[in-house]
Amino acid sequence: MSSPALSGAVAHHPWWESGVIYQVYPRSFQDSDGDGIGDLAGVLARLDYIAALGVDAIWLSPVFPSPMADFGYDVADYCGIDPMFGDLAAFDSLLAAAHARGLKLILDFVPNHSSDQHPWFLASRSSRDDPKRDWYIWRDPAPGGGPPNNWISDFGGSAWEWDARTGQYYLHAFLKEQPDLNWRNPALRDAMMDVLRFWMDRGVDGFRIDVLWHIVKAEGLPDNPPNPHWTPAQTERDKLIQRYSTDQPEAHAIAADMRALADGYGERVLIGEIFLPNDRHARWYGAPDRPQVHLPFNFQLIENDWNAATLNRIIADYEASLPPFGWPNWVIGSHDAPRISARIGEAQARVAAMLLLTLRGTPTLYQGDEIGIGPVDIPPDRIRDPQHWRQPTLDIGRDRSRTPMPWDASANAGFTTGKPWLPLNADWPVRNVDAQLADSDSMLALYRALTALRRVTRALAIGGFAMAVGDSDVLAYERWHDDDRLLIALNLCAEPRQLLLPVGVRIAEVLASTLPSHPMDGTLHGDEGLVLRLERDD
């Protein structure tokens, strides 16, 4: 049995292909000093938990010095650590301790924009003649006055901010406190490549690259065309098609340069945050002789409806879009997306965990999803996300995905001795890590069982893949490696469905289930997912 998706694949599989990545949002993981905000010492204290989860790498959301206008995605120093989180010595201790446990550490690199408090921008803003003026994107007003073009910030409002001191506008794809860097300037490019060198010299194992498809803008900065399909239910940004403000050809050359630099350090992974249709998304892999990022993040399990027909289509289309040398990847949650249990309910979130950890490719888990944190109410006076306040009628705030990790039933769930910066999930006294460690049927137990199964089952870690026939509401696919053949069958509804086996095989073993074990009678129970080992029915 062979898979077209694996044609041209090399025999060697780097760690990030067979591995599982775990995203840590440091502000909300573990507080060590009682200020209500998580920190690096807190992550260090919980490394054994992460290792026992069975993951291979930690992706650490930004911990660089920052005014925190966008909670660290407004960087004021790319080569430091914000005192809120610790210092470089604390980072080095965390890195060494992670490596000692066999864990890789991936940093969040933010190349599209800096903070408006970064020394580079302060210099750029000081005078039109400053040497760093062109490190950012400045333009004169439009001929009739007002912003230079019609571009809209991703957070709403114009993407241009007027600077009275120098009489020009500067571009910001996000908040005005996040001015866009000018990657067409060679000196800026060199400085940012030096940032990557700084951290790789320190021993980090790769980078998740924030909004990579934004980093170059079209020459001349023409107006973006209107979106004829826009409705008021969409964000203001979506009034326009971002034809000239994102995904420019020159950005691919920069990604290739980043990859060449990373490859010079050995097996360091580059993960690109890229929201694009499949055909444009796949281009970010580059070419065999000029590769770009290893993993252009694939968000389709977050962005689409949760039903068998939709998932069957997006999985098949995504696999078909990949270049022969491209390795797939999947995510079901992040600090920017609604939590999976809040979106589809806890029963189906268990099915989603099985889907994530058995599809072909690299899975990324988001902290808290492994214990099934669901809807969290954030009182108006506790809302912190600037995106909410820019477009409050859309209810798109991200705070509900960033609430603190509940560790136990002690005060503040063991997260802090102070006041948590965001509220905890309301059910934290019973939904916490300690409670789930004591429950063999918990969501956490399921995640740990699935990651353990991936480690010992090459068919899941690096094997072939093909969609299979399933009953209505059932998503089914096969995985294999050498003579080991598996069937994954996922019931995406609450009612029983028939378990359909491929012709000529029978069930040899049930390797994993989202439900407590029960006799196999040819039926998938409601909300049930199964990983089955098959054998020939001679």
Side-chain angles (χ1 to χ4, degrees):
M1 186 177 294
S2 61
S3 168
L6 291 181
S7 62
V10 295
H12 171 70
H13 288 268
W15 66 264
W16 46 266
E17 288 191 355
S18 60
V20 178
I21 298 169
Y22 183 69
Q23 182 190 358
V24 168
Y25 193 71
R27 293 182 67 93
S28 296
F29 198 63
Q30 177 67 65
D31 175 23
S32 71
D33 59 10
D35 65 356
I37 297 171
D39 46 46
L40 294 180
V43 179
L44 176 61
R46 297 293 186 179
L47 278 183
D48 288 339
Y49 166 79
I50 297 173
L53 186 57
V55 302
D56 299 86
I58 299 168
W59 153 27
L60 202 64
S61 292
V63 291
F64 313 109
S66 168
M68 300 294 164
D70 192 23
F71 297 107
Y73 285 93
D74 49 320
V75 179
D77 177 2
Y78 286 99
C79 297
I81 300 294
D82 195 284
M84 176 186 300
F85 299 119
D87 54 24
L88 281 171
F91 176 83
D92 290 341
S93 294
L94 173 61
L95 180 62
H99 285 169
R101 289 164 173 78
L103 294 167
K104 308 291 186 181
L105 190 62
I106 298 166
L107 284 186
D108 214 320
F109 180 51
V110 188
N112 177 72
H113 48 264
S114 75
S115 165
D116 64 352
Q117 299 305 303
H118 195 294
W120 297 347
F121 187 71
L122 295 177
S124 180
R125 196 175 199 172
S126 66
S127 165
R128 289 198 187 196
D129 299 324
D130 189 272
K132 288 188 171 59
R133 182 69 171 187
D134 192 48
W135 284 34
Y136 294 83
I137 300 173
W138 294 91
R139 292 295 184 273
D140 291 330
N149 64 25
N150 70 345
W151 293 1
I152 298 173
S153 159
D154 277 25
F155 285 176
S158 173
W160 295 94
E161 181 71 10
W162 175 249
D163 181 65
R165 180 191 302 176
T166 58
Q168 284 189 315
Y169 286 88
Y170 67 83
L171 181 67
H172 57 93
F174 297 91
L175 297 175
K176 65 181 177 61
E177 293 88 356
Q178 296 170 288
D180 280 27
L181 292 158
N182 179 17
W183 277 83
R184 294 184 181 277
N185 182 295
L188 180 278
R189 287 177 64 162
D190 289 346
M192 292 298 274
M193 292 297 183
D194 284 344
V195 169
L196 298 179
R197 290 187 184 93
F198 174 87
W199 291 108
M200 286 191 287
D201 286 342
R202 216 166 190 98
V204 303
D205 300 289
F207 301 90
R208 178 264 191 186
I209 307 173
D210 187 60
V211 296
L212 177 59
W213 85 112
H214 270 268
I215 64 173
V216 177
K217 284 69 179 173
E219 287 279 16
L221 309 180
D223 280 355
N224 276 325
N227 177 3
H229 306 294
W230 182 83
T231 70
Q234 295 174 279
T235 65
E236 184 181 359
R237 173 204 63 191
D238 293 326
K239 286 182 176 180
L240 303 177
I241 297 169
Q242 293 184 317
R243 180 171 299 164
Y244 301 112
S245 53
T246 66
D247 197 31
Q248 299 304 300
E250 298 90 336
H252 292 274
I254 293 169
D257 288 345
M258 291 178 180
R259 173 65 176 272
L261 176 61
D263 285 350
Y265 282 84
E267 287 191 352
R268 312 293 176 98
V269 68
L270 298 182
I271 304 167
E273 185 191 21
I274 298 159
F275 287 89
L276 290 170
N278 278 337
D279 57 338
R280 293 164 64 194
H281 186 270
R283 296 175 197 164
W284 288 90
Y285 286 100
D289 61 343
R290 184 74 162 136
Q292 297 177 35
V293 295
H294 301 89
L295 301 174
F297 249 152
N298 170 25
F299 297 98
Q300 294 186 63
L301 296 181
I302 294 175
E303 297 171 333
N304 285 279
D305 292 337
W306 192 260
N307 59 68
T310 298
L311 295 181
N312 198 313
R313 173 182 55 79
I314 67 171
I315 293 168
D317 289 351
Y318 173 68
E319 280 276 357
S321 75
L322 298 173
F325 57 89
W327 189 253
N329 71 93
W330 300 92
V331 299
I332 59 172
S334 81
H335 64 291
D336 287 332
R339 284 203 176 272
I340 186 68
S341 287
R343 187 159 70 90
I344 63 174
E346 184 169 356
Q348 277 296 305
R350 294 175 69 92
V351 176
M354 182 169 283
L355 176 67
L356 177 69
L357 290 164
T358 59
L359 283 170
R360 188 175 82 97
T362 305
T364 297
L365 317 182
Y366 178 55
Q367 70 176 54
D369 283 349
E370 75 270 24
I371 60 171
I373 295 176
V376 182
D377 291 327
I378 310 293
D381 65 331
R382 299 292 303 278
I383 293 172
R384 298 290 180 265
D385 182 15
Q387 188 175 32
H388 169 86
W389 295 118
R390 294 286 294 249
Q391 300 176 87
T393 60
L394 294 181
D395 193 27
I396 56 175
R398 301 164 295 177
D399 289 335
R400 286 166 290 193
S401 299
R402 301 176 177 187
T403 56
M405 190 78 170
W407 294 101
D408 55 43
S410 67
N412 296 320
F415 167 70
T416 181
T417 58
K419 181 180 179 180
W421 76 285
L422 280 175
L424 290 151
N425 51 296
D427 59 351
W428 67 264
V430 293
R431 186 179 301 281
N432 59 66
V433 169
D434 273 7
Q436 296 209 5
L437 286 173
D439 179 1
S440 61
D441 293 325
S442 68
M443 182 84 80
L444 180 56
L446 174 64
Y447 267 93
R448 289 173 59 152
L450 290 169
T451 57
L453 184 61
R454 280 180 62 94
R455 284 195 179 278
V456 298
T457 311
R458 291 179 68 78
L460 292 178
I462 59 169
F465 172 88
M467 302 303 298
V469 176
D471 196 6
S472 64
D473 298 310
V474 174
L475 179 69
Y477 48 93
E478 291 191 58
R479 303 295 312 277
W480 64 86
H481 186 270
D482 293 336
D483 294 329
D484 193 22
R485 183 177 178 185
L486 309 181
L487 175 70
I488 293 87
L490 308 173
N491 187 354
L492 301 186
C493 75
E495 302 299 324
R497 291 292 182 264
Q498 186 178 2
L499 174 61
L500 302 178
L501 297 180
V503 175
V505 301
R506 62 188 176 194
I507 299 170
E509 186 180 2
V510 178
L511 298 178
S513 172
T514 60
L515 300 179
S517 62
H518 59 84
M520 289 292 102
D521 60 359
T523 301
L524 275 169
H525 290 200
D527 301 315
E528 182 172 36
L530 293 171
V531 181
L532 306 171
R533 178 165 278 131
L534 304 178
E535 63 183 7
R536 292 179 60 182
D537 188 13
D538 295 328

